[in-house]
Amino acid sequence: MRDLAELTGLIYDAALDFALWPRVLEEVADAVGAGPAALLSQNQITMRGQGLTTRLDPRALGEFYGYYARRNPLTRGNDLRTIRAMPRLKTLTDRDVVDKRELMASEYYNSFMKPNGMHSALMIGLALHGESASTVNVMRSAAAGDFDDDEVRIGETLQPHLTRALKLAMRLGEAGQTGEALAEFLDRSAHGVFLIADSGRVCHANSAAEAMLRKRDGVSVANEELAGATPDATRKLRALIAAAVSPSRSGGSLSLPRAPGRHPLSAVIAPVNREHATLFNLGPAAIVCVSDPEAGHAPPERRLRDLFGLTRTEAAVALELLAGHDPRAIAGRMDTSYNTVRVHLARILAKTRTNRQTELVRLMMRVVGIGG
C-alpha cells in the first residue's frame, strides 16, 4: 500500500484518466484493510444506479441493481431532502446505519453480502447529483472483522480528495458528451442495437431495439441481460456475448426464434473498442445488432456504418475488400491513392477490433449476411 500522499495524487490523476478509477478503488480498500470496493452512483428514489467495482464478481453489480438495491437495509433510511441539507456527505460504517444483528438477519446480507465475501461496510459519501448520490464503498469479510475508528478517519481524510476528483471527472465526461453522441449515432440505425457491458448487462438500447423489446417477440431483457424466446436461444446468445466481452474478443451470429409463422430475428454479436468511455462505464464491451427480416434489409454499406461507426468512404473500402480486391486495386477503382486506402484500412481495422485483413473479411461476411 502506498502512503496517503501518494494515494491522493493517484486520486487526482484519475480525475483526468477514467481508467485509473479501479486502481484507486483497490488502493483505498488497501488503505483501510478492505477487500471488494465499488464507486457507485445511485438514485435515492428509484434505487437504480451504475458503478465501477473491483475485487468483486462482475455479475454482482447487475445483481445489486437488478434486485438487492431496493432491499438494502444500509440505505433504507435515506431521505433525499435530508441528504440535500447536509453540508457534505458522511463517512459511515454499517454499524452507524443499522444494528449488526438486524443486518446479518436480512436477505440482503445472506443472499448478496455473504456470498460475495462481505460482512462489514465502510461507505465514503462523495456528492449528490440531482437525485443520485455517489459513494465509495469498501467491504470486509467476516474473518477481517469490523472497521475501527482509525480506518474511518482514513476514509474521512480521503473523502474531500475523492469528492473533488469525482466532480472533475464527471464534468469532463459531460463536456465530452461521449455517451450522448454514441446514443444519437445508434438511434439512426434501423436495426435493433444493444450495447453490452463487461458484466453482460445491457447498458444501452437504441430506438429500434426498444421497439423489439416492447413486442417481446424473439428478444427480451431478463435480469438486465439479453434473452431469447427459448432457454436454448438465451444460452446461445449469452455464450456469444460472453465470447465478445472476454479477452478473446470474438463473437458470432445466430437466429432468434419468434412466434410460429414468423421469420426468426437475426443477431450479430461483436466486440467494440473503448473509445466511448465515461466515468461509470469504461465503454461498451460488445454490440449486439438484431435485424428483423420482415422489416426489410438495409444496404450492406449502411450495415457496416451502423454497426462499427464507419464513414461512408470507410464502408465503401471495406466492401471493396470483401469483394476480393486488394488495396492497390481498390485505390484504382475509387480513383484515390494507395496510401489513402491504407489509411482507411487502418481506421477500419481499429474500429472493428480486427488485426488483419483476413480477419476483417470474415467479420464483414457475418455482418453483411444479416438476415440472409
Side-chain angles (χ1 to χ4, degrees):
M1 184 194 77
R2 65 174 73 198
D3 63 35
L4 292 186
E6 292 179 332
L7 176 50
T8 299
L10 175 65
I11 289 169
Y12 287 115
D13 287 343
L16 305 176
D17 184 353
F18 300 159
L20 290 176
W21 279 99
R23 187 172 153 201
V24 167
L25 293 177
E26 288 187 353
E27 299 211 16
V28 170
D30 287 345
V32 295
L39 170 61
L40 303 178
S41 177
Q42 181 169 309
N43 187 293
Q44 298 302 293
I45 296 176
T46 66
M47 292 301 163
R48 303 292 292 169
Q50 54 189 340
L52 300 173
T53 64
T54 186
R55 299 172 180 167
L56 195 61
D57 187 325
R59 295 171 294 185
L61 190 64
E63 293 173 356
F64 178 72
Y65 283 122
Y67 181 82
Y68 292 105
R70 298 181 187 88
R71 295 159 176 84
N72 182 2
L74 300 177
T75 60
R76 185 185 303 150
N78 285 12
D79 177 78
L80 194 57
R81 287 179 296 180
T82 302
I83 295 173
R84 284 175 172 160
M86 292 179 180
R88 68 173 186 173
L89 301 187
K90 297 178 180 179
T91 296
L92 304 168
T93 70
D94 58 276
R95 291 171 300 163
D96 296 318
V97 178
V98 66
D99 181 83
K100 194 75 174 188
R101 290 170 297 182
E102 180 185 351
L103 175 63
M104 293 178 65
S106 67
E107 177 190 14
Y108 178 74
Y109 179 89
N110 288 285
S111 298
F112 181 74
M113 288 183 68
K114 190 175 180 180
N116 284 294
M118 304 175 188
H119 174 76
S120 300
L122 176 65
M123 299 162 285
I124 305 173
L126 302 185
L128 186 68
H129 307 278
E131 296 176 347
S132 296
S134 299
T135 60
V136 166
N137 297 349
V138 293
M139 315 297 289
R140 274 183 171 172
S141 66
D146 291 326
F147 293 96
D148 61 28
D149 291 343
D150 288 339
E151 288 151 352
V152 172
R153 280 192 286 270
I154 291 174
E156 291 172 339
T157 299
L158 295 174
Q159 182 185 36
H161 305 295
L162 288 164
T163 299
R164 285 191 285 269
L166 173 69
K167 289 181 177 179
L168 177 57
M170 294 187 77
R171 287 171 184 167
L172 291 174
E174 290 166 359
Q177 296 181 326
T178 306
E180 293 178 10
L182 179 59
E184 182 181 351
F185 159 72
L186 291 178
D187 279 336
R188 292 198 298 266
S189 174
H191 297 297
V193 182
F194 300 89
L195 293 180
I196 311 297
D198 284 317
S199 63
R201 178 179 63 88
V202 176
C203 55
H204 181 80
N206 72 346
S207 299
E210 289 179 348
M212 290 178 176
L213 293 177
R214 286 193 294 271
K215 294 177 182 177
R216 296 188 65 83
D217 186 16
V219 65
S220 61
V221 172
N223 295 323
E224 299 192 321
E225 296 184 47
L226 277 183
T230 66
D232 184 59
T234 298
R235 179 183 58 80
K236 292 178 179 178
L237 175 61
R238 291 182 177 176
L240 289 174
I241 291 172
V245 304
S246 73
S248 68
R249 308 295 286 163
S250 54
S253 59
L254 81 163
S255 295
L256 296 173
R258 293 198 286 179
R262 303 201 66 187
H263 292 290
L265 299 174
S266 183
V268 172
I269 299 90
V272 295
N273 59 31
R274 296 306 184 108
E275 65 184 14
H276 302 294
T278 60
L279 175 58
F280 288 107
N281 176 11
L282 296 181
I287 189 167
V288 178
C289 184
V290 181
S291 177
D292 182 353
E294 296 178 4
H297 302 286
E301 180 261 348
R302 180 59 184 269
R303 295 179 193 173
L304 294 176
R305 291 172 56 205
D306 287 342
L307 190 56
F308 300 112
L310 303 186
T311 66
R312 290 183 183 275
T313 303
E314 289 166 353
V317 170
L319 290 173
E320 288 286 335
L321 189 68
L322 181 60
H325 303 295
D326 63 33
R328 290 194 182 278
I330 294 172
R333 290 171 59 85
M334 297 185 66
D335 194 24
T336 189
S337 71
Y338 172 61
N339 284 337
T340 298
V341 171
R342 290 183 61 190
V343 170
H344 286 310
L345 281 174
R347 291 173 179 165
I348 295 165
L349 291 172
K351 289 182 178 181
T352 58
R353 298 283 296 187
T354 52
N355 297 313
R356 298 180 300 278
Q357 291 181 23
T358 54
E359 185 181 354
L360 172 63
V361 169
R362 286 197 299 270
L363 175 62
M364 288 192 298
M365 288 175 67
R366 294 200 302 268
V367 172
V368 173
I370 290 176

